[in-house]
Every structure is written in structure tokens, then in C-alpha cells.
């Protein structure tokens, strides 16, 4: 059925005047009359009663009018939602992330995105960096938040979301907590709590690099698979660890965070996506994420640059 004929019928039925109906749909009156006659022929029923003095609906026309309105309304709504989806306003978006993103970063990004685009359904999936890259390349995750550097598939692009130094997390009773800054060499005698080696954690890589630069290997007392686990172990006095600066923005009972005076290698998070990503919400999310990091977090956002496709591993 031709939707144009339905629109002409509704216009005539509501105006009860062919001239006004033609003006309303921006065509000549003869076109309205012709298309309405074709609609009646298609249906096999007379919908409009015509006379020199009057235009009125037949009984069948009165029955058909609300149905025609509903068809046109649902069609208009479907087109509106299609256009909105194409622009990233509605739809679904799956987001992978490593667990330290939960600290300070992810909540404001998600909150701001949902305020701007409430009709996009978000699926948040905690995943380590290697699994994220595989999922993005396979198309099962739309966008990932991963540490740099990372071994990337040829079809995956990245951009830096945030770059910040690592800080040391100390038990509040530790003597080093009285200092404004700590040197790595001062941690040589401290037990460390770390991610397990098999997680291929970027934070663990940086921790070992920092210790080696200070002339010692870390003595690992306990391991934990999540950042909140490590901070709980620090709070219990079982050791110290290194964390990204944004983690230190949230108070942790029994834990103090101190700058490292002699270790400046930044910890970076990347936004990662598939080059031929068909989901327009992914680009929208990246834009929102950059806006939120730049406006609300007192840590440095790395300047935009070419997509990064380096090598490495982990969490």
C-alpha cells in the first residue's frame, strides 16, 4: 500500500475539503483526488463521499481513518528511530574495560553519556586487555578501554584517553606515609602486593621496571586479581603497590597515596575500536569519554596523536 495515498486520505478525512487537503500535503487538488480514487480501488471500498456541496466520510472511511493514522505514525516513528540510530542517538553499545577504569573514570563517563544519549543501551564488560582486543577485532565488543601499549590486530585502532603517573599506595601506618613524596629506592625493603604474573598486567610491568631502575627486584608478599583486592591488602598492612593517579582520587581507608619522586613513566589508557565499526554510538562514546576526562579529572590527558599500534600484553 502506498503511504502517500494514506497521507492524502487522512488529510481529506480531517479537512473534509479537497482544496485544503491539497494545500496541506503540498500538491495540486487533482493529485489528491486521483490518489484517493486509486486507494479506494485498491481496498475495494468507498472511503470518501463526494458531492458539490459536501465532503464526508463513509462508515468504512470512519473505520479506516484511525488505522491509517496509526500506520503513518508508526512509519514516521520507525524512520525517526532509524535516523537516530544512524547518528548514534539510539541503539546498543558494548564496552570492554580493565578494572582500574572503575576508579574515578568510568562512572562519570557513563553518567554523561547516558544523560546525552538516554536511548542507547550500554553493556559494560570487564575484560583484560588481550581479551578486549580479540573481542573488538571479532566485532563482539564495540569499544574497549585498555592500557597501552597493547598488541593490536590490524583492524583495531586506538587513541589515548588519559595519561598519568603511577603513585605508591602505602599502609597509613607505614613510616613512608609521613613523607610528601617517596623515592623508589625507599621501597626496596617493603613487601609488595601485585597482580599475578600470568595476568600480564601493564601496572605490574611498570612496577617491575621502576624497581629495577632503583636497583632492586620487588619482594611479592601477596597477589590479587583486582585492584580493590590489592588496596585491601595494602590497608591490612600486608604490603605496598603502585596505582594510576586517578585511583588516588578516591579515599581508601587505611591507605595513603604518595607521588614517586624518581619515576615518571606514565600509565596510559587507550580507547580501542574496530576500523570498520558500523555502530555510530562508538564514535559518540569516544567523544564523550574525552570530554569527561578533560573537564572533570585533574590528571593530564595525553595530546591527540596518530593511532597507536605497539606491542605488549595485559591488564
Amino acid at each position: 500500500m502506498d503511504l502517500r495515498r494514506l497521507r492524502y486520505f487522512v488529510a481529506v478525512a480531517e479537512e473534509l475539503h479537497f482544496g485544503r487537503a491539497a494545500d496541506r500535503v503540498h500538491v495540486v487538488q487533482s493529485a489528491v483526488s486521483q490518489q484517493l480514487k486509486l486507494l479506494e480501488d485498491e481496498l475495494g471500498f468507498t472511503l470518501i463521499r463526494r458531492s458539490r456541496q459536501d465532503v464526508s466520510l463513509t462508515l468504512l472511511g470512519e473505520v479506516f481513518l484511525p488505522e491509517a493514522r496509526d500506520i503513518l505514525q508508526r512509519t514516521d516513528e520507525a524512520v525517526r528511530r532509524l535516523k537516530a540510530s544512524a547518528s548514534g542517538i539510539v541503539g546498543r553499545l558494548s564496552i570492554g574495560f580493565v578494572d582500574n577504569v572503575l576508579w574515578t573514570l568510568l562512572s562519570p563517563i557513563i553518567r554523561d553519556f547516558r544523560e546525552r544519549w538516554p536511548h542507547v543501551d550500554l553493556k559494560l564488560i570487564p575484560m583484560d586487555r588481550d581479551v578486549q582486543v580479540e573481542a573488538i577485532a571479532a566485532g563482539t565488543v564495540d569499544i574497549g578501554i585498555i592500557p597501552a601499549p597493547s598488541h593490536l590486530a590490524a583492524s583495531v585502532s586506538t587513541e589515548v584517553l588519559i595519561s598519568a603517573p603511577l603513585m605508591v599506595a602505602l599502609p597509613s601506618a607505614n613510616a613512608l606515609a609521613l613523607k610528601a613524596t617517596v623515592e623508589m629506592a625507599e621501597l626496596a625493603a617493603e613487601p609488595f602486593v601485585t597482580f599475578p604474573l600470568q595476568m600480564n598486567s601493564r601496572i605490574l610491568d611498570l612496577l617491575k621496571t621502576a624497581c629495577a631502575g632503583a636497583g632492586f627486584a620487588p619482594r611479592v608478599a601477596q597477589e590479587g586479581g583486582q585492584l580493590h583486592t590489592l588496596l585491601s591488602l595494602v590497608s591490612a598492612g600486608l604490603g605496598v603497590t603502585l596505582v594510576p593517579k586517578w585511583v588516588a582520587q578516591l579515599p581508601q581507608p587505611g591507605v595513603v597515596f604518595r607521588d614517586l619522586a624518581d619515576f615518571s613513566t606514565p600509565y596510559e589508557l587507550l580507547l580501542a575500536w574496530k576500523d570498520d565499526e558500523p555502530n555510530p554510538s562508538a564514535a559518540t562514546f569516544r567523544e564523550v569519554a574525552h570530554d569527561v576526562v578533560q573537564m572533570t579529572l585533574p590528571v593530564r590527558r595525553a595530546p591527540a596523536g596518530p593511532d597507536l599500534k605497539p606491542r605488549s600484553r595485559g591488564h
Side-chain angles (χ1 to χ4, degrees):
M1 183 177 293
D2 192 328
L3 292 176
R4 177 184 52 170
R5 295 171 185 172
L6 287 183
R7 294 190 190 280
Y8 291 178
F9 163 68
V10 170
V12 172
E14 293 178 348
E15 298 292 344
L16 294 178
H17 190 282
F18 276 85
R20 290 195 297 270
D23 290 341
R24 175 169 154 181
V25 295
H26 308 294
V27 297
V28 297
Q29 182 173 328
S30 60
V32 173
S33 298
Q34 180 186 29
Q35 293 300 319
L36 185 55
K37 181 65 170 64
L38 290 172
L39 176 62
E40 290 177 324
D41 291 345
E42 181 182 358
L43 294 174
F45 301 106
T46 300
L47 302 174
I48 299 291
R49 189 180 297 111
R50 308 157 178 85
S51 70
R52 288 183 178 274
Q53 296 82 22
D54 188 39
V55 175
S56 60
L57 287 170
T58 66
L59 177 60
L60 293 177
E62 291 178 354
V63 171
F64 188 60
L65 177 58
E67 302 298 331
R69 284 173 175 153
D70 183 61
I71 291 170
L72 292 174
Q73 181 178 353
R74 285 188 286 118
T75 300
D76 290 343
E77 176 64 16
V79 172
R80 185 193 67 79
R81 289 185 65 83
L82 180 62
K83 290 180 178 178
S85 181
S87 64
I89 297 173
V90 300
R92 295 180 178 85
L93 184 68
S94 57
I95 304 164
F97 62 93
V98 292
D99 79 321
N100 74 71
V101 180
L102 290 171
W103 301 75
T104 308
L105 293 176
L106 191 60
S107 293
I109 291 172
I110 296 301
R111 183 169 56 248
D112 194 277
F113 184 86
R114 290 188 63 82
E115 286 176 357
R116 297 193 205 183
W117 313 113
H119 300 297
V120 176
D121 295 327
L122 298 179
K123 182 179 182 181
L124 304 175
I125 312 168
M127 312 168 80
D128 72 30
R129 131 175 87 172
D130 290 341
V131 174
Q132 280 192 62
V133 171
E134 292 173 2
I136 293 166
T140 56
V141 166
D142 296 310
I143 195 161
I145 308 177
I146 62 175
S150 185
H151 178 68
L152 299 174
S155 61
V156 176
S157 291
T158 64
E159 61 192 11
V160 177
L161 173 64
I162 191 169
S163 177
L166 293 178
M167 302 182 72
V168 60
L170 301 157
S172 56
N174 191 297
L176 294 174
L178 300 176
K179 304 187 63 171
T181 61
V182 175
E183 295 184 4
M184 283 301 305
E186 295 179 287
L187 301 175
E190 300 290 337
F192 279 80
V193 295
T194 69
F195 294 110
L197 183 62
Q198 62 268 26
M199 285 184 64
N200 293 323
S201 163
R202 174 60 176 165
I203 293 178
L204 180 56
D205 286 346
L206 291 175
L207 185 154
K208 291 189 293 185
T209 298
C211 293
F216 69 96
R219 177 169 58 87
V220 177
Q222 296 285 336
E223 294 180 339
Q226 301 292 330
L227 189 56
H228 71 268
T229 302
L230 297 185
L231 290 177
S232 295
L233 295 173
V234 173
S235 177
L238 296 180
V240 302
T241 197
L242 303 189
V243 298
K245 189 169 185 176
W246 55 83
V247 173
Q249 293 178 240
L250 293 179
Q252 302 297 314
V255 180
V256 297
F257 301 96
R258 294 293 180 260
D259 289 323
L260 292 166
D262 54 347
F263 185 69
S264 59
T265 302
Y267 176 83
E268 293 182 334
L269 287 178
L270 310 176
L271 293 173
W273 67 95
K274 195 173 183 181
D275 290 340
D276 59 351
E277 171 56 60
N279 189 340
S281 298
T284 305
F285 181 87
R286 284 158 40 206
E287 179 183 348
V288 170
H290 283 304
D291 288 347
V292 170
V293 167
Q294 193 169 34
M295 290 187 299
T296 67
L297 295 172
V299 291
R300 182 177 68 86
R301 172 190 165 184
D307 289 343
L308 302 177
K309 294 198 173 186
R311 297 180 297 111
S312 193
R313 322 177 300 277
H315 178 69

